[in-house]
């Protein structure tokens, strides 16, 4: 079994949990995804069932102008998954757009929640404010309801997210409650957060959110040269002028990467203490970060090559996982249809 | 062939047109439906293909609190259709909730239009203002996009609506244009309005919009006693105090019913002229209206009884029509999926 050479983020999973996670296929996955969710899935996949959604419909809500990007990213994501150690025989890989039941469930769920409540969602609000009204297509605006449909469709009990995503899961839980009041029981999902001390949301090299679009992320397939260049660009504390200055290890981005990925926790703690006292240059921190990232990404990069050769097999796993997940989604849809007075679907 | 004893509203249909119309199953159909759309369908059904949608999903957008009402209204609508002379062997009867492709198309179309544009729709705006924010569930708010999905799914070219519904069809046409820009061709639908002189929107007995909820409409299955009582309640011009007063025939509701349904156009024109000059009492107008409505509804009521006996056959027609329409919807969905970079559906 392939083990990631990084501290394992412990998730608050309970016996019997069904986990739903996933990614929007908008480009290659990067270290932000690894720290924020992939590593936890790899650690958790043997503890309880994981449904992993390749959320291409959700990706289209803000990539309707560039559908080729979404289409072309799907294979890369399958390769990324296999390369970090997700076992396609163990987890359920699901292509969102091949589960039509999700759209039907989403349309029905929209009748159980006010538009105001959907639009109050802080993520939607923030992203709409950032992108401006031109990007405010209706699909993007209502995506929290569509995400609730994903969660309920697959009867997930635990949805690993960042703290800022908690209202998304609250909406899904609210809708599960509404369905229960009408006689259609689906599990009420709860958000599961990264354990204290785990990396959670990893910043990009420039300190902003790590994003392929911003070009500030390190892809899982990055070469050593790309890693070196990215680490070089990592911002430090601009107020610190000499290595003798006492420093705040919360400031340099390189420390964030070390906290996420350095398997030598004692060595890292010592370095942080020394940095606080003064005597450690930001170049030293970056040198360590470069080595840690290189040691982590190197084997993943090699396994990406190997996984690329197995792509037909990975596509089969996606197809089979989707077919199996559709069975669950169909049952959920039947229950929801029945609480709306609609007949059970024959096919 | 059964002919309605009423003036036939002429529609601006063109050779090759494919018509989409339909009704929300929220209760029995009434004379407002007959004047506004049913009569035109009956007249047009032999001229070009009609898809007639029993729009139960749309009904649920504002009847999520009373799903039994929607479920139970479907049979009644089939009976009403047959009773007014729609030929179930000729028109395509479709149950909206049994065409899952519509939900998928709707979710994809939401990515091609801003939420603002959907919410600017005057009907949605007016109904939200009337019903208040509590009724503003997201399903209702976005129903113009969902209605566009109906229209495009079935490749309709002509959609008969009232003048106030024109923006709905404009949205569907806009979305057809957006799809064409992306390489998925669907016909650009146009609104078709009641011909000048046709009844168009028939008011309720109290002068407000005819509505089952307001109890101001005359059902297609109304008894003679119910008709008499409804006509008695029809409001007249309160400013007019004596039959000798010159009157405005646009004011009494009874005249609106005569204009919609009186097959004796010359007799009606004479009465209107006399009313203008003075010398006709509102009671006289109501007496004529009661007779005209009774003559119209009587045969329909009898045919409702007969159609009720044929209900299993009507349900079969709905099932077959739905299956056939799904074929068209599936082809449309395939085309739309492909312009979003999604693969053609195998099944």
């Amino acid at each position: 079994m392939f083990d990631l050479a990084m501290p394992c983020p412990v998730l608050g999973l309970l016996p019997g949990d069904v986990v739903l996670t996933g990614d929007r296929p908008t480009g290659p996955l990067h270290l932000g995804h690894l720290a924020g969710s992939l590593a936890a899935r790899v650690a958790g996949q043997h503890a309880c069932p994981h449904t992993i959604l390749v959320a291409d419909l959700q990706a289209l809500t803000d990539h309707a102008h560039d559908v080729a990007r979404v289409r072309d990213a799907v294979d890369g994501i399958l390769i990324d998954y296999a390369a970090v150690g997700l076992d396609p025989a163990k987890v359920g890989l699901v292509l969102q757009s091949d589960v039509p039941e999700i759209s039907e469930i989403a349309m029905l769920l929209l009748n159980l929640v006010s538009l105001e409540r959907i639009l109050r969602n802080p993520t939607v609000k923030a992203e709409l404010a950032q992108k401006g009204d031109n990007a405010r297509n209706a699909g993007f605006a209502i995506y929290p309801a569509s995400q609730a449909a994903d969660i309920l469709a697959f009867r997930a009990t635990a949805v690993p997210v960042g703290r800022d995503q908690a209202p998304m899961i609250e909406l899904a839980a609210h809708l599960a409650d509404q369905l229960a009041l009408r006689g259609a029981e689906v599990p009420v999902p709860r958000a599961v957060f990264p354990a204290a001390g785990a990396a959670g949301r990893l910043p990009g090299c420039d300190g902003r959110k790590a994003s392929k679009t911003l070009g500030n992320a390190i892809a899982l397939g990055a070469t050593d040269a790309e890693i070196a260049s990215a680490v070089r660009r990592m911002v430090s504390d601009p107020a610190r002028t000499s290595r003798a200055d006492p420093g705040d290890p919360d400031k340099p981005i390189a420390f964030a990467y070390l906290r996420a990925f350095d398997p030598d926790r004692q060595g890292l703690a010592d370095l942080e203490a020394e940095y606080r006292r003064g005597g450690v240059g930001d170049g030293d921190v970056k040198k360590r970060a470069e080595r840690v990232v290189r040691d982590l990404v190197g084997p993943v990069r090699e396994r990406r090559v190997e996984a690329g050769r197995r792509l037909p097999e990975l596509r089969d796993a996606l197809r089979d996982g989707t077919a199996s997940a559709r069975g669950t989604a169909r049952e959920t849809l039947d229950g929801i249809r029945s609480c709306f007075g609609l007949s059970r679907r024959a096919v």
Side-chain angles (χ1 to χ4, degrees), chain A:
Chain A
M1 204 176 91
F2 172 69
D3 280 313
L4 289 162
M6 65 178 277
C8 177
V10 180
L11 277 178
L13 296 182
L14 303 173
D17 263 341
V18 174
V19 176
L20 179 75
T21 66
D23 297 284
R24 297 153 38 98
T26 57
L29 299 184
H30 54 63
L31 292 186
H33 298 109
L34 186 61
S37 57
L38 292 176
R41 292 179 212 169
V42 173
Q45 66 185 325
H46 301 290
C48 58
H50 277 55
T51 297
I52 301 187
L53 194 66
V54 181
D56 56 346
L57 289 185
Q58 190 184 320
L60 288 169
T61 63
D62 58 359
H63 285 75
H65 59 284
D66 190 4
V67 301
R69 177 169 173 163
V70 174
R71 183 191 57 213
D72 297 343
V74 173
D75 281 347
I77 281 195
L78 293 179
I79 291 172
D80 286 333
Y81 285 168
V84 296
L86 277 176
D87 180 356
K90 186 82 194 164
V91 298
L93 295 174
V94 179
L95 186 61
Q96 189 182 30
S97 65
D98 273 343
V99 185
E101 291 78 9
I102 292 175
S103 294
E104 287 196 80
I105 293 173
M107 290 299 284
L108 289 170
L109 291 181
L110 286 174
N111 297 326
L112 301 181
V113 58
S114 72
L115 184 61
E116 277 76 7
R117 175 156 184 168
I118 297 179
L119 298 178
R120 265 202 309 270
N121 183 286
T123 308
V124 171
K125 254 181 160 164
E127 295 192 30
L128 288 177
Q130 185 198 328
K131 293 179 186 181
D133 268 2
N134 282 346
R136 194 181 170 128
N137 80 50
F140 180 76
I142 63 148
Y143 95 78
S146 161
Q147 203 167 67
D150 300 333
I151 295 168
L152 302 188
F154 301 123
R155 302 181 167 268
T157 61
V159 187
V161 288
R163 297 262 164 203
D164 57 335
Q165 295 285 306
M168 289 282 180
I169 315 306
E170 279 158 24
L171 177 64
H174 168 73
L175 288 166
D177 286 341
Q178 292 295 308
L179 290 174
L181 288 173
R182 291 156 172 270
E185 293 278 355
V186 293
V188 179
R190 71 182 195 287
V192 178
F193 303 113
R201 175 153 285 177
L202 188 72
C205 300
D206 55 3
R208 292 185 290 173
K209 186 180 157 186
S211 141
K212 202 65 205 155
T213 317
L214 297 173
N216 63 357
I218 301 176
L220 292 179
T223 64
D224 283 351
E226 286 166 341
I227 292 168
S229 147
V231 172
R232 228 176 0 253
R233 290 199 320 274
M234 284 181 183
V235 295
S236 302
D237 181 356
R240 199 160 172 266
T241 55
S242 134
R243 62 183 299 130
D245 290 347
D248 175 359
D250 283 345
K251 289 196 171 146
I253 294 300
F255 265 122
Y257 278 71
L258 285 171
R259 277 191 212 113
F261 301 121
D262 195 336
D264 173 9
R265 306 316 274 171
Q266 187 55 54
L268 173 59
D270 294 345
L271 186 70
E272 289 200 31
E274 212 180 325
Y275 190 85
R276 259 180 230 288
R277 285 193 302 269
V280 177
D282 284 288
D284 302 328
V285 182
K286 286 189 175 183
K287 198 174 288 172
R288 183 174 177 116
E290 185 182 341
R291 178 176 52 75
V292 163
V293 169
R294 228 169 37 204
D295 289 352
L296 175 68
V297 168
V300 174
R301 188 172 60 229
E302 276 168 41
R303 288 173 57 90
R304 284 193 95 261
V305 176
E306 185 201 317
R309 286 191 212 105
R310 287 165 47 217
L311 186 55
E313 183 192 316
L314 297 173
R315 287 177 178 155
D316 285 352
L318 180 64
R319 200 195 50 224
D320 295 348
T322 304
S324 158
R326 275 197 72 180
T328 306
R330 203 174 294 125
E331 273 176 44
T332 306
L333 173 60
D334 272 346
I336 295 177
R337 280 175 63 86
S338 133
C339 84
F340 277 99
L342 304 170
S343 62
R344 289 183 82 84
R345 255 309 142 59
V347 283

